[in-house]
Amino acid sequence: MSFWVYVPLGAYLIVLLVLGLWSRAAGGGLEGYYVAGKKLPAWVVAFSSNATGESGWLLLGLTGMGYLIGVHAFWVILGEVLGVTLGWVLVARPFKALTDGYGSITVPDYLESRFRDDAGLLRKIGVAIVLSMATVYTAAQMVAAGKAFDSFLATGYIPGVLIGAAVTLFYTAVGGFKAVAYSDFVQGVLMALGLLALPIAGIAAAGGIEAMFVAVGAQDPTLLLPMGRYGVTFEGVLSAVGMAAIGLAFLGVPQLLVRFMAAGSDRDLVQGSGFAYLCIVIFDVGAVFTGIAGRALYPALEDQETVMPLLSAELFPAIFTGIFLVIVLGAIMSTVDSLLIMSSAAVVRDLVQKTFGSQTSERRLSFYGRLTTLAIGAIALPFALREAKVLFWFVLFAWSGLGAAFTPVVLCSLFWSRTTRMGAAAGMVSGFVVTVVWVQFFKAQFYDLYEMIPGFLAGLVATVVVSWMTEPPEGAGEELEAMRERLRYGG
Amino acid sequence: MTFLGLGVGAWLLLAVAVGLGGVIEATFLWQVSRRRRLGEDDR
């Protein structure tokens, strides 16, 4: 292995460690540790939220999907671009305005204040869902880190998992959310650059865009059809809708909502929306076209999820192998760090401080937060070390578990003043439970319909129906109207 | 007959996938700046 492969990797790891140490000064309290003092600039919020939302699935999973199903994967682009755009246009500013008013630093904080939930029911449900899904999600990303190190540098799987986990845990625990957000920004920019370079190089190597599509069509003409091998059938429509539904969660998963909360101002969210749109377009179009170019160049791959590492190794000089490893690691780490900090906030803020009513000082609690970050990483690690077969469907499952539990409730809470505390509780539980039950018992019999759809629908229906049957919180209508009025003229 | 090796339906889907979000984003930015101007005028 060339020495030059290790240079970008070493530089990247040093940058992360420095970011971790630099961010220690973000403030001693919980607001400093968990939302970076609510001072993040627009560009950091935008790239950080997309890098967090996408994970290693983008570079390995979505490129593989482009390879496997061709143009049919355009439905994922549609869903994600719409999801991100609508998240920024519809959700970000109202959510930021309300959470600033409440002094919230976690999503359960927000739900408790919005629904006057003095008994803390929503907080407990939220914490249970966050911790269970984040552990699965983190373990799957650690597996991806192990595989990335092993496939790029032949380190072996277990050393790869350990190196990735050690670096991520260090800068997350030490630097808190500020380190997470700024490192996500660096990682997001690297991902965007990689996903610009890879498809351009791939298309050029395939002889241009027309030659690429002709080569892919010669292998299988259905790879060039929007409805793929299904055609315009019930199964085809379900497949397309399922892929587009991946984008739904961008409207309400807690690891993204916390970034809106942490933005410096309403103006940052307006500016950030443009960055976020451009970023997601580059991410998704780049990933799908990388896969399609890979299919034209290497038609017989056994594992389609190796297409991105293969293209980077075959089409670029040796030093770029290191750069592309850094990009894959960036995608993985930007998600793991966000899940760790979110889980840590769930334990320290939501359980210890708010549920158990601890009177410990905020400075000490933020120290416990660092320890909790390490502990949660340590819980996920054995799953990753033992289960090398965790696949990317785990990522999509955890993504939809969080999305179905939180997104319908968050949307109703922002746009329907009639939403009630019990409606929110029913929506969260239904969304989460239906997602899990669908995967376990029904998915295989229903055309592999992606669990986000039944989960989201169940969450929405339960929230609306139970809200109609119960009394809304006092003053909610006036509160939402006042918030809208403030935002109408610039926040 | 195909354009650059791909059918109209596929290009249309890609254009909608990328463009619809762009239209929403542009409308949002235009609306926010217009309201801010109106707000400043009111003051």
Side-chain angles (χ1 to χ4, degrees):
Chain A
M1 188 70 62
S2 161
F3 163 78
W4 291 105
V5 172
Y6 292 93
V7 172
L9 177 64
Y12 169 70
L13 296 180
I14 289 169
V15 166
L16 292 183
L17 299 180
V18 169
L19 272 175
L21 294 171
W22 168 70
S23 305
R24 287 176 72 190
L30 289 187
E31 187 170 307
Y33 188 67
Y34 287 128
V35 283
K38 298 195 175 184
K39 289 176 186 160
L40 293 183
W43 38 279
V44 173
V45 180
F47 278 91
S48 158
S49 66
N50 280 343
T52 297
E54 288 298 351
S55 83
W57 175 80
L58 174 75
L59 290 163
L60 305 178
L62 186 55
T63 52
M65 206 184 261
Y67 183 96
L68 193 66
I69 61 175
V71 163
H72 194 43
F74 286 177
W75 290 101
V76 178
I77 304 177
L78 174 71
E80 293 210 338
V81 171
L82 268 185
V84 167
T85 309
L86 292 176
W88 280 81
V89 166
L90 296 179
V91 175
R93 298 174 70 222
F95 188 74
K96 165 85 176 154
L98 286 176
T99 49
D100 278 0
Y102 298 141
S104 312
I105 61 171
T106 64
V107 175
D109 263 358
Y110 160 73
L111 294 173
E112 188 171 291
S113 300
R114 167 68 179 81
F115 295 110
R116 305 356 173 206
D117 179 23
D118 297 334
L121 173 68
L122 298 175
R123 194 184 288 278
K124 287 168 196 144
I125 296 171
V127 168
I129 294 170
V130 161
L131 290 180
S132 59
M133 289 292 96
T135 308
V136 172
Y137 208 156
T138 303
Q141 294 299 321
M142 286 180 172
V143 170
K147 286 182 176 175
F149 269 110
D150 192 31
S151 65
F152 279 93
L153 300 179
T155 56
Y157 171 72
I158 288 178
V161 171
L162 293 174
I163 298 167
V167 174
T168 315
L169 282 170
F170 174 81
Y171 76 76
T172 307
V174 171
F177 187 77
K178 187 173 177 184
V180 168
Y182 277 87
S183 62
D184 286 1
F185 166 71
V186 173
Q187 290 153 344
V189 170
L190 288 172
M191 287 158 70
L193 292 176
L195 286 171
L196 274 174
L198 264 178
I200 291 171
I203 290 168
I209 200 156
E210 183 165 10
M212 174 185 78
F213 282 129
V214 168
V216 169
Q219 292 171 40
D220 178 356
T222 65
L223 290 171
L224 303 184
L225 300 176
M227 300 306 284
R229 65 186 165 89
Y230 305 107
V232 187
T233 59
F234 182 62
E235 196 177 359
V237 172
L238 284 187
S239 168
V241 172
M243 283 194 275
I246 293 172
L248 269 177
F250 281 99
L251 293 158
V253 286
Q255 67 267 38
L256 303 187
L257 292 175
V258 75
R259 278 153 177 77
F260 298 147
M261 250 189 251
S265 67
D266 179 70
R267 201 169 276 266
D268 285 315
L269 290 177
V270 175
Q271 288 172 356
S273 65
F275 290 125
Y277 166 73
L278 286 177
C279 178
I280 196 71
V281 167
I282 294 169
F283 277 9
D284 281 9
V285 174
V288 172
F289 273 78
T290 297
I292 295 175
R295 181 74 181 235
L297 292 166
Y298 308 103
L301 287 185
E302 267 182 32
D303 179 0
Q304 75 271 10
E305 286 173 357
T306 59
V307 66
M308 185 263 171
L310 177 69
L311 279 186
S312 68
E314 295 292 326
L315 303 180
F316 291 87
I319 190 167
F320 283 88
T321 305
I323 294 175
F324 281 108
L325 169 61
V326 163
I327 291 170
V328 173
L329 288 178
I332 295 165
M333 289 177 170
S334 59
T335 301
V336 172
D337 59 12
S338 307
L339 297 168
L340 288 172
I341 202 79
M342 175 176 75
S343 307
S344 170
V347 171
V348 172
R349 168 71 166 189
D350 294 319
L351 284 184
V352 175
Q353 191 182 41
K354 293 293 181 178
T355 303
F356 302 141
S358 167
Q359 298 300 315
T360 311
S361 74
E362 289 241 333
R363 186 169 285 275
R364 175 134 301 258
L365 281 174
S366 78
F367 171 69
Y368 292 155
R370 292 169 212 275
L371 294 182
T372 309
T373 303
L374 294 174
I376 289 162
I379 291 168
L381 195 55
F383 290 104
L385 291 176
R386 204 182 49 204
E387 183 51 84
K389 288 180 197 154
V390 179
L391 300 170
F392 276 114
W393 73 261
F394 251 64
V395 173
L396 290 177
F397 166 62
W399 178 246
S400 61
L402 288 166
F406 285 95
T407 308
V409 171
V410 167
L411 289 177
C412 287
S413 74
L414 294 175
F415 300 108
W416 190 39
S417 61
R418 186 71 186 70
T419 315
T420 69
R421 170 178 169 268
M422 289 314 291
M428 288 168 77
V429 172
S430 306
F432 180 70
V433 169
V434 167
T435 300
V436 176
V437 169
W438 186 265
V439 170
Q440 288 295 319
F441 301 107
F442 298 107
K443 189 172 177 175
Q445 287 114 56
F446 286 87
Y447 305 102
D448 266 345
L449 178 66
Y450 181 37
E451 51 273 20
M452 180 75 83
I453 296 172
F456 184 89
L457 288 176
L460 188 62
V461 168
T463 307
V464 171
V465 170
V466 177
S467 291
W468 273 118
M469 292 158 50
T470 46
E471 282 299 308
E474 206 173 308
E478 293 79 5
E479 191 174 70
L480 290 188
E481 191 46 49
M483 175 269 291
R484 286 192 202 109
E485 193 57 35
R486 265 201 322 279
L487 291 181
R488 198 159 289 146
Y489 293 109
Chain B
M1 193 65 183
T2 60
F3 169 65
L4 291 180
L6 206 56
V8 174
W11 284 120
L12 195 63
L13 174 59
L14 184 61
V16 171
V18 173
L20 189 55
V23 171
I24 294 170
E25 175 62 25
T27 310
F28 167 69
L29 291 175
W30 170 74
Q31 224 175 20
V32 170
S33 73
R34 185 172 146 268
R35 282 178 179 163
R36 282 203 172 128
R37 273 202 310 276
L38 287 174
E40 279 161 16
D41 288 349
D42 287 348
R43 280 170 216 146

